[in-house]
Amino acid sequence: MMNQQKPFRLITIPVSHYCEKVRWALTRIKVDFVEEPHSPPFHLFVTKRLGGKTTPILVADTEIFTDSTDILKYLNSITLDENKLYPSNPELRQKVEELEELFDTRLGTATRRWGYSYISNNYKIIQRAWCQGVPKIQKILFPLSFISMQKILQKSFDLTTESHLESYLEIKVLFAQVGELLADGRNYLVGDKFSAADLTFAALAAPVIQPAEHPIKPRSLEELPIKMASEIKEFRETSAGQFVLKLYRERNV
Ligand SMILES: N[C@@H](CCC(=O)N[C@@H](CS)C(=O)NCC(=O)O)C(=O)O
């Protein structure tokens, strides 16, 4: 099946939904892995050394992967049939790959921008989101890095007064599209089996759904800004939102 001798190393910013996408894939195919969590900007020391910039990074015995989709494809190649993440039928596989790309480029960026537009100025919430499980020194340095990280967040994600509305509308469009795909009562987005399309959708939508089973324990809605909490409730009620909740209930089974 594979020649991997040591457990895989998974370099993460734990709260990152792209990291959750890979964590879920590793859990599903049941291979040993050790997560190495870092908080921004300290992840950069590690990612640079491994030839990447962003997280997740997967370190295998003989190769290093620096993008979540490359990681899923690699994991698929070393996985036995029943746990494959991509269908063997080429047409279905192409559909899965197209949806994964759509979610990676549009949904993941929109849910992240939506989330940070509400909380980027909230010291306590960011501290809790970024410091869970990271090396002690990174926790100690958090107060010193917060102000500059706030500016970096604003610039990298183009956080403006309109950004939560813009990203909210983008998420609504994508949720409607997924709702349509599920309208005929099907259980999964492509074919009749769970695939990388379902996994990517659920992991990247998680910030607007906050499923209780998420491995990074969600905050209670009462702790969040009121408008953010009411939008989460609204997203949960859609059929795409119900789909995310269902996939998370099945995530660790
Ligand atoms: N295309 C990448 C995107 C990953 C990504 O955007 N990761 C973010 C965390 S959500 C990151 O590491 N940002 C830190 C940085 O850019 O330095 C993938 O799918 O792996």
Side-chain angles (χ1 to χ4, degrees):
M1 178 187 160
M2 63 169 168
N3 302 318
Q4 181 74 19
Q5 302 288 321
K6 288 185 266 172
F8 289 105
R9 289 171 62 205
L10 177 64
I11 316 301
T12 65
I13 294 171
V15 77
S16 151
H17 51 355
Y18 291 97
C19 294
E20 163 62 1
K21 174 184 165 190
V22 170
R23 188 191 288 122
W24 188 338
L26 284 161
T27 311
R28 180 171 172 87
I29 70 165
K30 300 190 174 65
V31 288
D32 284 341
F33 72 99
V34 177
E35 182 166 340
E36 296 178 22
H38 295 279
S39 66
F42 307 105
H43 68 289
L44 290 170
F45 293 111
V46 184
T47 55
K48 270 192 194 141
R49 221 185 310 134
L50 295 169
K53 183 172 182 291
T54 55
T55 59
I57 293 185
L58 186 79
V59 183
D61 281 351
T62 53
E63 275 175 282
I64 296 175
F65 300 89
T66 58
D67 175 81
S68 66
T69 300
D70 293 344
I71 299 174
L72 260 58
K73 294 210 166 109
Y74 166 69
L75 294 177
N76 191 62
S77 74
I78 59 163
T79 302
L80 292 174
D81 277 358
E82 76 254 25
N83 287 328
K84 288 262 185 212
L85 298 163
Y86 299 87
S88 49
N89 172 311
E91 257 171 59
L92 294 183
R93 177 162 182 144
Q94 196 186 337
K95 278 193 192 160
V96 168
E97 288 181 359
E98 280 169 11
L99 284 174
E100 182 179 12
E101 173 72 9
L102 174 77
F103 301 146
D104 276 343
T105 52
R106 288 181 48 198
L107 181 69
T109 48
T111 53
R112 179 172 59 194
R113 189 166 180 243
W114 172 88
Y116 281 126
S117 69
Y118 279 115
I119 64 168
S120 71
N121 295 328
N122 189 315
Y123 181 91
K124 268 203 163 155
I125 292 184
I126 294 286
Q127 184 181 39
R128 208 138 31 96
W130 285 7
C131 294
Q132 281 184 52
V134 305
K136 200 169 170 199
I137 183 72
Q138 297 182 13
K139 289 185 190 169
I140 293 170
L141 292 172
F142 177 81
L144 295 174
S145 61
F146 179 65
I147 300 280
S148 52
M149 283 317 293
Q150 245 180 321
K151 292 196 182 117
I152 290 173
L153 282 179
Q154 263 152 27
K155 207 163 158 236
S156 344
F157 303 141
D158 185 28
L159 302 181
T160 59
T161 41
E162 297 86 30
S163 51
H164 62 262
L165 180 61
E166 287 165 7
S167 36
Y168 167 81
L169 293 174
E170 173 81 335
I171 301 163
K172 289 271 269 194
V173 168
L174 293 162
F175 265 48
Q177 219 170 311
V178 164
E180 265 170 45
L181 286 175
L182 297 168
D184 60 2
R186 59 171 58 246
N187 287 322
Y188 300 107
L189 291 174
V190 179
D192 55 7
K193 268 194 74 188
F194 179 83
S195 74
D198 306 298
L199 187 157
T200 304
F201 179 68
L204 299 185
V208 303
I209 299 293
Q210 305 268 331
E213 297 84 359
H214 198 290
I216 306 299
K217 204 176 160 340
R219 293 162 293 256
S220 71
L221 295 190
E222 295 74 47
E223 293 170 82
L224 297 175
I226 292 172
K227 187 146 178 274
M228 184 180 190
S230 80
E231 285 176 3
I232 292 172
K233 283 186 199 146
E234 189 192 317
F235 281 125
R236 280 179 183 167
E237 278 163 22
T238 63
S239 61
Q242 291 292 314
F243 181 56
V244 173
L245 288 167
K246 176 181 92 96
L247 293 177
Y248 262 95
R249 281 194 300 272
E250 295 167 0
R251 184 187 181 293
N252 304 314
V253 178

